[in-house]
Amino acid sequence: MLKINNLNWQKLKYIVLTCCFLLLFSGAVSARYTLEADEIIFREADSLILFEGNASFRAEEYTIQADKLLLDTEARLLKGESNIIISSDKEELYGESLEYNYEEQSGSLYRAEGSLEEIYFSGARLEIIAASPFEGKLTEAEFTPCKREDPHYHFKAREIRINPDNTLSIYHIVPHVAGIPVFYLPYYSVTYDPEGEAGETLSDTIPFPQFGYEQGTGITVEMSYPYQISDSNSGKIYYYRAGDEEERREFSNVHRLTDNLNLINRYNYLYEYDSDADVIDEEEEEYTLSLEYSIPGFSVEGGYLRNLLVEDNRDRYYITSSYLHKSGVNTYFRQEYDSEELIKENYRLSYNRGPVPWNLRYVDGESYNYYPYLHLNLPRVLNFNPYLAFGRVENAGIELNKYRAGLNFSYNFDLTDSVRYHFRHNYRLDHYKSGFDQNYHYFNLRTGLSYRGNPAERLSVNSSLFYEEKLSSGSSPLPDDREDDERLLKPALSFELAGELPESAWAIDADGSYNLDTEEWDEINLRIRKKEDCFDFFIGYEFIDEALIFGLEL
């Protein structure tokens, strides 16, 4: 047995370790690993190496740290004890003990804990099925968005599977509120995007519906439920309703026939009502049945579509496809037929790499059509974003050549440590030919000041005053290009008193919108909010509409 203590033999430790691992791993393991510790004991007869004190095992894509690591070079097995940390670029897992085969990249982490964005989870055992891409199974699991040791609510699940396609499959879920079980779900799915922006890497995070209420409108409810019937059959149910003014119902089911071929059912319903004008803005209800074939960079889908609301609800058929070329050019097309003819078509070419991203499209059969139309995003100069577009278009039965030039500008800077100035201006010019020879100018300005201060240790104050103006001049023969003029003043003021616990606060928010053209208030709102680490409850009053509102956001 050879014992090396790095307090006295720091240089010798690395020389001996390098020699040992060159001999032990040469020709046996293709991956490269680095191991370090304060004290290292090598038992040659047993092919065991013990690492104690700040022990670490480093691979290319992850690092394992522990108080103690035991390496079995014959079995290719790494065992860890006490304060286990498995870390990668974005995530960390914690545990009490570890068994890991570094050659097969599989093993088990016991009493595992970790987090993904705002979700904190733990389990009795995390079975590591593969390390790259990561695949695992967490048993006797609990998860919650609450950061405190005693969460307001949490979920227990028999099993959580971490899949290589960046999804989490959660089985047999029981939500607990204040420690009391409230209902049961057989399955739930969460999609994880490791490349997403901070706070946007997870979708369908919590299997709880969102509720709210507005006097005069009614109850608002939103629910999303991804489900799975079998390994080859899954889908999603979504429902949203805002009183009598808006309703959405969406259902999808995907049955995997082969690795590249899917049978897809979809149902969509949309209803929007304008209570001020007392008219239905939009109402749609469609059902589709299709086959989809997809491989990396290419997909094609075709099937049957039926409009369930139109009286002349003839059977329709469609085909759609997309292809991403290695050069970065993205192609897309969609054609829709009835039993007699082609009724809709949509073709797009786009390129988002390089200094001038562009989009070329041809659309026919919609309310606004392009025959074709090219849009160019020109290089950004300082805070100026210019763009150009031109082509032939049709709207409301009027077909013409249209040329558009636009310039967007945005600039913010701090006047003091507490006061910030904001300025944003968007301008566009539409020039119409084909017998019209008309110009249409549209200006959109937003400017103002914001303030943030802390007059007391736990008290913060936020206020702002913005001026917004939308102004058009000239004339446009196309109805959908026209914009409404308005001038608004928008003040806002909020006070927030932090609680004794982290991310806990009481807040009072007030905001309004004053119309300078009509010299009347369009909105005056007041809210009282109770903020916690994993929920936000508010109650308020809208003075112009004379409506009481409240809601709970999880």
Side-chain angles (χ1 to χ4, degrees):
M1 180 176 73
L2 178 64
K3 182 175 180 180
I4 304 172
N5 190 306
N6 84 326
L7 295 176
N8 302 315
W9 302 94
Q10 184 69 24
K11 294 182 179 180
L12 180 60
K13 178 190 76 171
Y14 290 106
I15 295 173
V16 172
L17 264 183
T18 302
C19 294
C20 287
F21 281 96
L22 284 174
L23 292 172
L24 291 169
F25 297 153
S26 177
V29 183
S30 59
R32 294 183 178 273
Y33 306 100
T34 302
L35 292 100
E36 296 177 356
D38 293 338
E39 188 175 278
I40 302 167
I41 301 173
F42 178 43
R43 295 192 299 190
E44 185 177 3
D46 300 326
S47 298
L48 297 177
I49 306 177
L50 177 64
F51 300 82
E52 288 190 290
N54 299 312
S56 67
F57 176 96
R58 302 182 190 276
E60 184 177 353
E61 297 181 351
Y62 62 91
T63 299
I64 299 174
Q65 297 171 281
D67 290 346
K68 181 189 295 185
L69 291 174
L70 179 65
L71 183 69
D72 186 336
T73 58
E74 284 192 357
R76 304 291 189 260
L77 187 65
L78 182 70
K79 294 184 178 181
E81 297 180 13
S82 184
N83 297 320
I84 309 295
I85 303 176
I86 304 176
S87 56
S88 62
D89 290 340
K90 289 192 174 184
E91 288 85 32
E92 287 188 346
L93 292 171
Y94 303 87
E96 293 182 0
S97 61
L98 170 73
E99 292 181 359
Y100 181 66
N101 187 308
Y102 53 84
E103 190 172 79
E104 298 178 356
Q105 295 190 342
S106 62
S108 296
L109 178 66
Y110 298 92
R111 306 309 306 169
E113 295 182 356
S115 65
L116 280 175
E117 276 294 335
E118 68 274 18
I119 300 298
Y120 302 86
F121 60 85
S122 62
R125 173 175 174 255
L126 173 62
E127 179 185 352
I128 302 170
I129 300 172
S132 181
F134 187 84
E135 183 178 0
K137 183 168 65 175
L138 188 66
T139 56
E140 298 180 31
E142 295 187 14
F143 62 98
T144 179
C146 302
K147 299 179 181 179
R148 300 171 193 164
E149 291 186 6
D150 186 17
H152 301 283
Y153 60 92
H154 67 278
F155 304 84
K156 290 186 177 182
R158 186 180 300 174
E159 181 179 286
I160 299 178
R161 293 183 185 175
I162 303 133
N163 304 310
D165 62 352
N166 294 325
T167 60
L168 304 179
S169 300
I170 309 171
Y171 298 91
H172 303 291
I173 310 155
V174 179
H176 290 68
V177 178
I180 301 172
V182 291
F183 60 87
Y184 167 82
L185 290 174
Y187 174 85
Y188 196 77
S189 176
V190 175
T191 301
Y192 173 59
D193 180 9
E195 305 301 325
E197 299 292 333
E200 299 179 359
T201 60
L202 294 174
S203 62
D204 300 311
T205 309
I206 296 298
F208 261 154
Q210 310 290 312
F211 291 101
Y213 173 80
E214 181 175 351
Q215 187 176 348
T217 299
I219 294 175
T220 298
V221 60
E222 184 176 18
M223 182 194 74
S224 179
Y225 179 54
Y227 66 89
Q228 181 168 343
I229 298 174
S230 66
D231 290 341
S232 59
N233 192 290
S234 61
K236 182 176 178 179
I237 300 171
Y238 176 81
Y239 181 76
Y240 174 80
R241 186 182 181 96
D244 298 326
E245 295 188 351
E246 185 176 355
E247 183 178 5
R248 296 175 184 265
R249 301 194 298 264
E250 299 174 6
F251 169 82
S252 64
N253 178 268
V254 179
H255 185 78
R256 190 173 71 250
L257 301 175
T258 69
D259 289 342
N260 304 111
L261 187 64
N262 296 317
L263 176 67
I264 305 176
N265 284 273
R266 297 187 186 95
Y267 168 81
N268 292 281
Y269 175 77
L270 169 64
Y271 174 84
E272 293 181 349
Y273 173 73
D274 187 343
S275 57
D276 294 331
D278 194 23
V279 295
I280 297 176
D281 277 345
E282 191 172 4
E283 188 173 18
E284 298 176 353
E285 189 173 18
E286 283 187 343
Y287 168 75
T288 61
L289 173 65
S290 65
L291 280 173
E292 177 196 54
Y293 175 81
S294 63
I295 57 176
F298 172 77
S299 69
V300 59
E301 178 183 342
Y304 168 81
L305 184 151
R306 190 175 183 87
N307 190 324
L308 302 178
L309 289 181
V310 179
E311 293 182 2
D312 183 18
N313 54 355
R314 293 173 293 174
D315 294 336
R316 291 181 290 163
Y317 307 90
Y318 73 94
I319 182 171
T320 181
S321 179
S322 64
Y323 172 65
L324 177 61
H325 191 265
K326 60 182 180 181
S327 65
V329 176
N330 192 12
T331 65
Y332 169 87
F333 87 87
R334 178 185 173 96
Q335 293 178 336
E336 191 174 314
Y337 301 82
D338 62 12
S339 58
E340 300 176 354
E341 59 182 347
L342 175 67
I343 57 176
K344 290 184 180 182
E345 49 188 330
N346 188 332
Y347 310 94
R348 287 201 307 267
L349 285 173
S350 62
Y351 182 77
N352 294 320
R353 302 176 188 174
V356 184
W358 53 266
N359 181 297
L360 176 65
R361 53 184 163 171
Y362 180 96
V363 178
D364 189 29
E366 302 291 349
S367 60
Y368 204 117
N369 297 304
Y370 304 87
Y371 301 133
Y373 193 75
L374 178 65
H375 183 104
L376 303 170
N377 287 316
L378 302 180
R380 177 188 177 103
V381 179
L382 298 177
N383 292 316
F384 294 92
N385 294 282
Y387 63 90
L388 294 173
F390 53 90
R392 193 161 184 84
V393 300
E394 183 272 329
N395 178 229
I398 300 172
E399 184 175 335
L400 47 75
N401 290 333
K402 170 182 165 182
Y403 303 86
R404 171 173 287 186
L407 183 64
N408 299 327
F409 176 78
S410 178
Y411 185 63
N412 307 317
F413 63 90
D414 295 325
L415 296 175
T416 69
D417 291 341
S418 303
V419 180
R420 187 171 179 82
Y421 175 71
H422 306 259
F423 182 88
R424 185 192 71 203
H425 187 267
N426 303 324
Y427 166 75
R428 82 166 193 255
L429 165 65
D430 290 333
H431 178 64
Y432 305 96
K433 300 291 286 186
S434 304
F436 289 93
D437 196 24
Q438 296 177 2
N439 290 326
Y440 183 75
H441 305 266
Y442 177 67
F443 306 84
N444 187 344
L445 170 67
R446 184 178 187 268
T447 184
L449 298 171
S450 63
Y451 168 83
R452 179 178 179 85
N454 298 92
E457 182 179 355
R458 292 166 51 191
L459 179 65
S460 62
V461 178
N462 291 275
S463 63
S464 63
L465 178 62
F466 284 92
Y467 171 76
E468 296 183 5
E469 181 175 7
K470 298 177 181 179
L471 177 66
S472 62
S473 65
S475 61
S476 170
L478 304 182
D480 288 353
D481 282 356
R482 302 167 193 160
E483 305 284 353
D484 295 329
D485 294 355
E486 64 178 6
R487 295 182 303 136
L488 303 174
L489 278 179
K490 291 189 171 183
L493 176 65
S494 68
F495 297 91
E496 185 173 297
L497 181 64
E500 296 181 358
L501 296 174
E503 298 191 36
S504 174
W506 283 96
I508 299 177
D509 303 330
D511 62 79
S513 177
Y514 182 76
N515 193 313
L516 295 171
D517 296 320
T518 62
E519 298 184 350
E520 293 181 346
W521 286 93
D522 292 337
E523 293 183 25
I524 301 177
N525 307 313
L526 178 67
R527 286 189 180 190
I528 299 175
R529 291 185 295 124
K530 175 57 176 171
K531 299 171 59 178
E532 292 292 346
D533 59 332
C534 54
F535 74 87
D536 191 341
F537 174 78
F538 67 89
I539 184 170
Y541 191 74
E542 297 178 351
F543 290 89
I544 302 302
D545 295 333
E546 298 182 345
L548 177 69
I549 59 172
F550 63 83
L552 178 65
E553 299 175 357
L554 301 177

